Amino acid sequence: MTRRSLLLGVELSGTGTHPASWRRPDSRAEELFTGGYWLDAIAAADRHGLDLVFLPDSFALQPAGALGRLEAVGVAARTAPATHRIGLVPQAPVTHTEPFHVSKAIASLDFATLGRAGWEVTVSRGQSALFGRKAEQDEASLWAEADEAVEVVTRLWDSWEDDAEIRDAATGRFVDRAKLHYIDHVGEHFSVKGPSITPRPPQGRPIVVIRAADPHSTAVAARRADVIRVAAADLAAAAQARAEVRAAVAAAGRDPDLVSVLLDVDVHIASTEENAAVDVAQLEVWTPTPDPVTLRHIGSPETLRALLARVHGTGAGDGVVLRPLAVAPFAAVLPKLAPRLRDRLGLPRPANRYAPTA
């Protein structure tokens, strides 16, 4: 497979990442909890040729702005039949969620998209009272549990061999049970026998995404992720962050060239740079925000394309994740994308650890 020169993703966070974005007359905030809002936004990203759409999720309310959330995996599933090329990557927190449920949900999304699903692994802080099952955990414990959860999920994806479904009408055998495997996982946080009740996904294993935000999440990302997200204030810092992440991946015994590092970029795009600046100034009048720690780009489609060229030229990332301050159309000129997300990332189909080898 040949990896594209630059991967382009978008994170759709409600009406936008700016807490005042819902106050814009074009925000469609009144439709935020309808399927149509998300269908239109994600279908537009698909039509414009973006590679990935990230759907944030959490067990907590947003700290400001439009409050409330729909469940990200459900939103992705709703939009799957209406999209054709774009990879759908919902967040699914693991802190209070069983790996068996996550594995089945993401595998089902991969079937619904014919191989375009991903999973962004997140943890949940300060929400234990909502569940009443365990005490709050520190960062080290949260990410140790997440690390084990990813191990369980990927083993469950592998618990059916690719050709386990035989559908032999003559004998009445739908599956070859010899090709279903117990994973027999026993760890610090989970004890899961398996196998899954969902066949192996079309991609074998849907894409695993982790944001490298601190030493704990970075260590898990280096061991587990196909795509690693980073944030930086400028391109020089981004290039340094990418180099450090790649070094961590290599230290974990993996090939860094098989892991894509994507740079988060907060953006607002309008027809001209002047119009974009006016729009953002109004957002700041409504709700002033601190100086961002994430790279921010306010401009036009032309200036955005120039930024993407600089990202590629400086080695600041294998791609970017655009985080609109206010959700709006994005102009991009991209080649036709491969039908499956692993192909677009240049990743080989993973071998099934339970299948016999010749």
Side-chain angles (χ1 to χ4, degrees):
M1 304 301 172
T2 301
R3 180 182 293 184
R4 288 163 36 77
S5 58
L6 197 71
L7 288 165
L8 186 57
V10 61
E11 181 177 88
L12 298 177
S13 181
T15 58
T17 59
H18 197 288
S21 58
W22 66 273
R23 298 181 67 174
R24 286 174 55 94
D26 61 354
S27 71
R28 296 178 64 183
E30 70 280 4
E31 302 175 55
L32 187 56
F33 303 114
T34 68
Y37 175 88
W38 296 97
L39 184 63
D40 289 349
I42 295 172
D46 189 38
R47 289 194 304 272
H48 282 77
L50 277 77
D51 294 290
L52 302 161
V53 59
F54 295 90
L55 300 172
D57 203 353
S58 173
F59 295 130
L61 283 174
Q62 299 89 332
L67 302 182
R69 303 179 187 272
L70 297 181
E71 193 267 330
V73 176
V75 169
R78 170 65 181 86
T79 61
T83 56
H84 305 285
R85 300 175 300 179
I86 197 165
L88 304 181
V89 188
Q91 288 184 353
V94 298
T95 308
H96 301 290
T97 308
E98 295 296 332
F100 190 90
H101 295 154
V102 173
S103 73
K104 190 161 73 76
I106 301 298
S108 298
L109 181 62
D110 206 43
F111 277 105
T113 59
L114 303 178
R116 293 183 287 116
W119 167 37
E120 184 168 359
V121 182
T122 62
V123 299
S124 181
R125 305 170 183 86
Q127 305 304 313
S128 292
L130 296 177
F131 299 88
R133 294 170 54 190
K134 58 184 177 182
E136 289 295 334
Q137 299 164 264
D138 61 20
E139 286 295 305
S141 176
L142 285 169
W143 282 103
E145 182 181 49
D147 185 58
E148 187 178 337
V150 178
E151 174 71 13
V152 174
V153 168
T154 55
R155 284 185 176 272
L156 287 168
W157 287 337
D158 279 353
S159 64
W160 288 51
E161 295 182 34
D162 287 327
D163 55 353
E165 298 171 76
I166 55 176
R167 295 182 291 276
D168 188 342
T171 63
R173 297 170 66 220
F174 191 84
V175 300
D176 181 348
R177 291 188 175 273
K179 296 186 176 183
L180 272 60
H181 300 276
Y182 295 112
I183 69 169
D184 290 325
H185 174 87
V186 178
E188 180 182 354
H189 301 278
F190 305 105
S191 178
V192 179
K193 188 174 184 63
S196 177
I197 62 170
T198 306
R200 196 171 194 231
Q203 294 183 91
R205 297 174 200 159
I207 300 306
V208 174
V209 181
I210 300 176
R211 188 189 302 266
D214 55 48
H216 302 295
S217 58
T218 299
V220 177
R223 288 192 294 271
R224 304 290 185 181
D226 302 301
V227 173
I228 299 176
R229 293 179 60 177
V230 299
D234 54 47
L235 294 186
Q240 178 64 30
R242 177 174 177 265
E244 292 173 356
V245 165
R246 286 173 58 84
V249 170
R254 304 174 63 208
D255 183 352
D257 288 336
L258 294 181
V259 177
S260 295
V261 181
L262 304 187
L263 173 64
D264 284 355
V265 181
D266 290 349
V267 298
H268 185 76
I269 304 302
S271 57
T272 66
E273 293 182 71
E274 293 75 14
N275 288 345
V278 169
D279 288 346
V280 174
Q282 178 61 72
L283 293 173
E284 290 294 314
V285 168
W286 285 328
T287 306
T289 58
D291 290 337
V293 295
T294 303
L295 181 66
R296 176 179 279 198
H297 182 80
I298 311 302
S300 66
E302 291 74 21
T303 64
L304 177 59
R305 283 194 287 268
L307 172 65
L308 298 179
R310 292 198 301 275
V311 169
H312 184 238
T314 60
D318 300 305
V320 300
V321 179
L322 304 175
R323 304 174 69 242
L325 300 182
V327 174
F330 286 92
V333 180
L334 297 172
K336 186 176 180 179
L337 307 180
R340 291 189 175 178
L341 188 49
R342 294 191 76 88
D343 295 348
R344 273 179 256 156
L345 295 172
L347 296 175
R349 182 177 178 82
N352 188 315
R353 72 191 78 193
Y354 300 110
T357 57

